[in-house]
Amino acid sequence: MSAQQPQPVYAGETAYLTVKAMGSAHSPKGMLEVGMKNDKNSYYINFDAGESQFAVPIATTTRGKCRLPRVTLRCAYPLGILRCWTHLDFGQELWVYPSPQAADKTFSEHDMSDGNKRNTIPGSDDFFALHPFQPGDPLNKVAWKKVAKGGEWASKVFIRQQSAVTWLDISTLNTDIETSLSMLCWQVNRLSRRQHPFGLKLGDVIIPPAMGKLHEQTCLEALSLYPGSYPK
């Protein structure tokens, strides 16, 4: 048995843990009951119908990083005379981001820089350097010549000059913590879709301006853990 890492969700959404039964010398038969430990809801994998996996739904209510409970597997095939079960710990953790809430205030345009200085930020104007390839990096930024020569995968970093830096700063919001985090989450998603560089300030936690999927994920995880530690 194996389980895939569940995808992050926003608070209030349903996450899914995909449990898969691996094949062996003899194909399994009958029905396998699958469910979270201590959860009354159960789901089934029907091996007779050719099924080998099932996505177990996980309801979420609050943000954070939580360790998933054990998965209970039960079987009473074929006649219910014999019953067997086990509780498997797949060691999976689930990221639950704050629920996005549209922000009326355009605090994302807050300028934290010296207007007389020009700041170097990620962009598309001038080649700057190579950095190790990260999942989610655009393929059109991959240094294909380096890869073709047998080198490690790397992505090209371009920069552009900008006089004002975009910052998302929780201290500029006059709402309760959860509402502020939801508004920041919405802004992170909005700026990421627009491919607009931004930084994030959560008290002592400061994430420098950047852009891309990895930067978006880092900011969302920081919002999820606030006021906890910086995500690693």
Side-chain angles (χ1 to χ4, degrees), residues 136-138 192 195-196 198 210-217:
D137 285 352
S192 296
Q195 297 185 346
H196 184 86
F198 64 92
M211 58 187 293
K213 280 294 183 182
L214 183 60
H215 179 62
E216 179 184 16
Q217 176 183 334

Side-chain angles (χ1 to χ4, degrees), residues 33-42 56 68-74 86-88:
E33 185 179 357
V34 183
M36 288 295 181
K37 188 177 181 181
N38 299 324
D39 186 352
K40 296 181 180 179
N41 297 317
S42 296
V56 182
L68 297 182
R70 292 174 180 263
V71 176
T72 297
L73 307 176
R74 303 185 187 90
T86 186
H87 307 292
L88 298 182

Side-chain angles (χ1 to χ4, degrees), residues 2 13 21 33-34 49 67 76 79 93 108 113 115 123 125 135 154 163 199 211:
S2 64
E13 294 183 343
E33 185 179 357
V34 183
R67 185 178 179 86
L79 300 175
E93 293 181 319
S108 62
S113 65
D125 294 344
S163 59
M211 58 187 293

